[in-house]
Amino acid sequence: AAEKAAVVAKAKAEAEAEAAKTKAAAEKKKQEAEAAAAAKAKAKAEAQAAAVKAAAEKKQEEEKAKKAYLDALKAQEELKEKRVRAKKEEAAVEEKWKKQAARQADDEKRARVAAAAVQEATAKATAKAKAEADAATAKAVAEKKKQEETAAAAAAATKAKATAEAEA
């Protein structure tokens, strides 16, 4: 009976050891499966995070590109406006110069007309003065001649009278 009990005890111990072994193996397998699942979940989470980050970065890049494009458009518009303004200013300056040139031409024309008028007036005045001087000279000559003739006539009369008196 002791032998039988020993065999039973040994068998029981072996069975328990086997059970413990199996349990340990199952536990180990379970842990390994859990670890694998955790690793898989972690990898998935990391991949998702990376995807989100990449998407965010892509969006940021797109925003940057869009902003750069809009800035370039704005700069182009500003340049266009500047060109238009410059052209307008140029046209205005040209117009001003044209007007100034026209004014100058008018002024020169007026000055020429005025100079011609002055010259004409001067010529007329000179001619008039000369005519007047000539007339005065002629008058003076005539006056002198008249005086001389009168004096000569008076002298002749006096002489004739003297002769007549002497004869008488």
Side-chain angles (χ1 to χ4, degrees), residues 35-55:
K40 198 177 171 189
K42 189 183 172 195
K44 195 178 173 190
E46 280 173 358
Q48 269 178 342
V52 168
K53 192 180 171 195

Side-chain angles (χ1 to χ4, degrees), residues 1-165:
E3 238 175 71
K4 203 179 176 187
V7 168
V8 168
K10 191 182 174 194
K12 195 181 172 189
E14 274 176 13
E16 279 173 3
E18 196 62 41
K21 216 186 207 178
T22 303
K23 195 180 171 191
E27 197 68 39
K28 192 179 174 194
K29 220 176 189 176
K30 191 182 165 193
Q31 279 177 355
E32 279 174 0
E34 278 173 4
K40 198 177 171 189
K42 189 183 172 195
K44 195 178 173 190
E46 280 173 358
Q48 269 178 342
V52 168
K53 192 180 171 195
E57 277 174 4
K58 190 182 173 197
K59 198 177 177 191
Q60 222 175 1
E61 283 302 314
E62 280 172 0
E63 286 292 322
K64 256 191 213 166
K66 194 176 170 188
K67 190 175 182 287
Y69 174 70
L70 290 177
D71 286 349
L73 271 186
K74 197 175 166 192
Q76 231 173 357
E77 274 301 309
E78 280 172 7
L79 193 68
K80 213 177 181 179
E81 277 172 24
K82 271 186 194 163
R83 276 207 200 106
V84 168
R85 254 201 312 272
K87 262 192 185 154
K88 273 187 192 162
E89 280 169 17
E90 213 175 290
V93 168
E94 220 170 282
E95 195 57 38
K96 198 171 152 192
W97 281 344
K98 275 184 191 164
K99 277 185 186 162
Q100 217 171 341
R103 245 200 320 272
Q104 207 174 338
D106 280 353
D107 288 349
E108 281 171 9
K109 195 176 169 189
R110 269 199 290 275
R112 274 201 301 276
V113 169
V118 167
Q119 215 173 351
E120 202 178 317
T122 306
K124 275 186 186 163
T126 305
K128 191 180 174 192
K130 190 171 182 268
E132 283 173 0
D134 287 351
T137 305
K139 197 177 172 190
V141 168
E143 198 72 41
K144 193 177 173 197
K145 207 173 183 186
K146 196 176 166 192
Q147 280 176 356
E148 282 173 359
E149 282 172 4
T150 307
T158 307
K159 196 178 177 189
K161 196 180 173 192
T163 307
E165 279 175 2

